[in-house]
Amino acid sequence: MLIFTPKITSRTEYTFNLIFDTIWDLDYKLTDDIEYFNEYSGNKINYSSKKIDTEFFIKRYGLLEEEGVKDQDIKFGQWNDLPIFYQNSDERIPFDIFSATFFLVSRYEEYLPHIKDHYNRFTAKESIAYKHNFLDRPLVNLWLLEFKKILQSHFSSITFPPQKFTYQSTIDVDNAYYFLEKGFVRTTASFIKSILLMDKELIKKRKDVLLGKEKDPYDTFEFQLSLNKKYNVDVVYFILLADYGLNDKNCSVHSRKFQLLIKHLSDHAKLGIHPSFASNTSFETIVTEKNRLENIIKKEVELSRQHFLKLDIPKTYRNLVELSVKNDFTMGYASLPGFRASICTPFYFYDLELEMTTNLKVHPFAVMDATFNYYLRTSPEESLTIIKKIVDEVKLVEGNFVSLWHNETWSDYKEWKGWSGLYEKMLEYIHHDNLQTS
């Protein structure tokens, strides 16, 4: 496929590479040479402001030719029951699909002024995806599904390589144990607090676990490993190795039991760093935490997900690039399920301020256990219904479905009472038509 555009920018190269190479795996070439384009006899697309001849034409809006971040005049319409913006008068594709894709995937709106939540995060309700009711749909992939049909009907010789639905399980270990490995001071303080509250049940539970009479409720790792083996699930664990703090209440990083657990997990799954809440204000802290994990597992760490999903674009991603992290799994919202970048395909991060494509691959997740329990207050049964709908959307476009779980979800303890079976029910639904995991 030859594509003509009068000005090839880094945005243009990024967007066409995302669509034609990353998502479709289709050979293509960009050109700004109009004579070469006119003489070319193969499949070709004119992406410009005006038609040249009778060739396939998509009218450009202009976002890919701009530099820097500017306020965007975004007005929505409909195309094949899908919301669209950057509209034009063309009947076949009535909007600039390339500019619209770039706006959503680059997270352009997160560079614009917006209200942050109490953790200083961009929120789901600030996004156009939420405001225009497509947060739970991978809109970019849905656009491209329709676009592919049009190209196939127009170009008889075009062949798209087959795609398939894939699934990636991810598990955050914010706190490996509820009672164990907290150190003398924290354990003593917790006992005193329970005594003051006259919580006899908690006192007994803590004592029995510390004395080895009972298993720690958050120690669900063997069950997880057996479950993922049963369903042949590819899983990544993200380990919090922070110094103790207000929002980083993990086990002691010096705990031998905790370190042995990490080594055990690394024998059965891929491991990534879970940069602490505190690390957002200190690059040196991220370096320390990454080094801790690498020293424990004796492997280079190239995977990451921010604790509390604390994602500040582009700062967070620039830090990860400097750290030589290759894959990040933070792209999603805490408060609502769905697709933060409106896509269910891993993509490379584009730095809008530097106007360049980075080598950091972003893996968007769509559902998180804590979203349902803490934010939406849905039951496990209601949560499964929501998950199934999102899985169906991803299967429709043959994309990549990523889930985010925590080890305490399987504990059946306190606020997680009744939630231990949801993960397996999700796996059963994912596999019900024998689709394989990634």
Side-chain angles (χ1 to χ4, degrees):
M1 179 70 71
L2 181 67
I3 301 155
F4 168 75
T5 188
K7 183 180 180 182
I8 299 175
T9 66
S10 56
R11 292 185 181 188
T12 309
E13 290 175 333
Y14 172 81
T15 305
F16 280 89
N17 194 57
L18 170 68
I19 294 171
F20 284 85
D21 184 41
T22 303
I23 298 177
W24 285 344
D25 191 24
L26 196 69
D27 288 335
Y28 79 100
K29 182 180 179 181
L30 283 171
T31 184
D32 55 5
D33 186 336
I34 189 61
E35 291 185 8
Y36 173 66
F37 180 78
N38 285 335
E39 292 172 2
Y40 187 75
S41 58
N43 299 333
K44 56 186 181 180
I45 294 174
N46 170 18
Y47 177 57
S48 66
S49 57
K50 61 180 179 179
K51 290 184 178 181
I52 300 171
D53 200 351
T54 57
E55 80 291 325
F56 196 97
F57 173 67
I58 297 176
K59 187 173 184 179
R60 63 175 181 161
Y61 173 82
L63 184 67
L64 302 188
E65 287 73 50
E66 293 180 2
E67 288 187 357
V69 179
K70 304 170 185 176
D71 284 333
Q72 298 293 311
D73 182 21
I74 294 180
K75 297 174 182 176
F76 276 83
Q78 286 284 315
W79 173 59
N80 294 351
D81 296 322
L82 298 172
I84 58 171
F85 55 98
Y86 295 147
Q87 298 169 76
N88 56 45
S89 56
D90 190 79
E91 292 182 3
R92 192 159 40 190
I93 302 178
F95 74 115
D96 183 345
I97 190 171
F98 304 120
S99 286
T101 293
F102 179 79
F103 179 89
L104 293 173
V105 176
S106 70
R107 303 310 302 130
Y108 198 106
E109 62 184 337
E110 297 194 35
Y111 292 82
L112 297 170
H114 57 268
I115 299 170
K116 297 179 182 289
D117 70 5
H118 62 296
Y119 291 124
N120 207 32
R121 301 176 299 193
F122 182 87
T123 67
K125 292 185 177 180
E126 281 287 298
S127 69
I128 64 168
Y130 173 80
K131 293 173 182 176
H132 293 273
N133 301 310
F134 61 87
L135 180 58
D136 59 348
R137 309 190 73 190
L139 186 59
V140 168
N141 300 84
L142 291 166
W143 284 341
L144 295 180
L145 187 63
E146 297 301 314
F147 186 24
K148 181 195 284 189
K149 294 174 185 175
I150 292 170
L151 290 177
Q152 287 174 319
S153 65
H154 186 85
F155 301 107
S156 58
S157 62
I158 196 169
T159 302
F160 288 87
Q163 296 172 289
K164 68 173 184 177
F165 167 85
T166 56
Y167 169 59
Q168 176 70 68
S169 171
T170 67
I171 299 171
D172 289 357
V173 184
D174 301 343
N175 205 345
Y177 308 107
Y178 191 94
F179 299 111
L180 297 175
E181 309 306 312
K182 300 301 171 64
F184 178 77
V185 174
R186 288 170 65 188
T187 300
T188 303
S190 296
F191 260 122
I192 293 171
K193 182 179 178 182
S194 298
I195 292 168
L196 292 174
L197 293 172
M198 293 185 288
D199 192 337
K200 294 181 181 179
E201 185 180 333
L202 187 59
I203 293 170
K204 184 181 184 304
K205 184 85 168 177
R206 189 184 304 275
K207 185 178 71 173
D208 288 346
V209 170
L210 292 174
L211 291 174
K213 295 179 180 179
E214 195 175 326
K215 191 176 182 180
D216 190 287
Y218 282 7
D219 185 2
T220 60
F221 299 100
E222 291 307 316
F223 179 68
Q224 298 165 36
L225 292 173
S226 65
L227 205 54
N228 288 322
K229 184 178 180 181
K230 175 183 176 182
Y231 289 91
N232 191 29
V233 171
D234 182 32
V235 61
V236 180
Y237 282 90
F238 295 99
I239 313 295
L240 182 64
L241 285 166
D243 293 328
Y244 181 78
L246 181 63
N247 294 304
D248 301 308
K249 298 179 179 179
N250 50 297
C251 298
S252 169
V253 297
H254 305 293
S255 162
R256 177 160 175 75
K257 181 179 177 66
F258 184 32
Q259 291 187 9
L260 287 173
L261 169 66
I262 293 170
K263 290 177 181 179
H264 178 56
L265 292 176
S266 73
D267 290 336
H268 299 277
K270 294 190 287 288
L271 263 60
I273 191 63
H274 201 35
S276 65
F277 193 92
S279 73
N280 286 275
T281 56
S282 169
F283 180 75
E284 291 72 23
T285 300
I286 312 177
V287 174
T288 298
E289 293 171 5
K290 182 171 180 281
N291 287 340
R292 283 171 178 167
L293 183 57
E294 289 177 337
N295 288 334
I296 292 170
I297 64 175
K298 307 303 180 187
K299 296 176 186 175
E300 188 176 355
V301 173
E302 297 183 341
L303 308 174
S304 173
R305 174 185 282 130
Q306 296 295 119
H307 189 31
F308 276 80
L309 302 178
K310 191 86 165 60
L311 179 56
D312 182 7
I313 295 175
K315 178 186 172 184
T316 303
Y317 284 155
R318 286 180 183 170
N319 285 341
L320 295 179
V321 169
E322 191 172 342
L323 269 174
S324 298
V325 169
K326 301 288 179 60
N327 297 272
D328 184 71
F329 290 75
T330 313
M331 185 59 70
Y333 294 117
S335 60
L336 288 171
F339 304 92
R340 183 167 177 169
S342 302
I343 190 171
C344 61
T345 306
F347 61 91
Y348 287 98
F349 168 61
Y350 186 90
D351 191 321
L352 268 173
E353 291 181 352
L354 299 178
E355 293 293 355
M356 63 174 286
T357 304
T358 71
N359 63 356
L360 178 68
K361 184 174 279 190
V362 176
H363 300 254
F365 74 88
V367 298
M368 177 173 72
D369 50 8
T371 303
F372 300 116
N373 198 2
Y374 296 147
Y375 290 88
L376 298 180
R377 300 290 182 183
T378 50
S379 68
E381 293 73 26
E382 292 168 332
S383 304
L384 183 61
T385 299
I386 297 170
I387 291 170
K388 285 180 176 180
K389 182 178 183 297
I390 291 177
V391 169
D392 289 345
E393 290 280 356
V394 179
K395 285 184 175 181
L396 176 65
V397 298
E398 298 174 314
N400 180 230
F401 175 68
V402 181
S403 65
L404 193 175
W405 243 244
H406 296 79
N407 53 293
E408 56 261 38
T409 310
W410 287 277
S411 68
D412 208 30
Y413 187 62
K414 287 189 174 289
E415 66 267 30
W416 291 105
K417 191 79 175 172
W419 287 82
S420 61
L422 177 60
Y423 182 77
E424 184 166 15
K425 288 177 180 176
M426 175 179 70
L427 295 185
E428 287 173 351
Y429 188 75
I430 288 170
H431 289 266
H432 79 275
D433 52 1
N434 296 319
L435 289 169
Q436 296 183 349
T437 60
S438 62

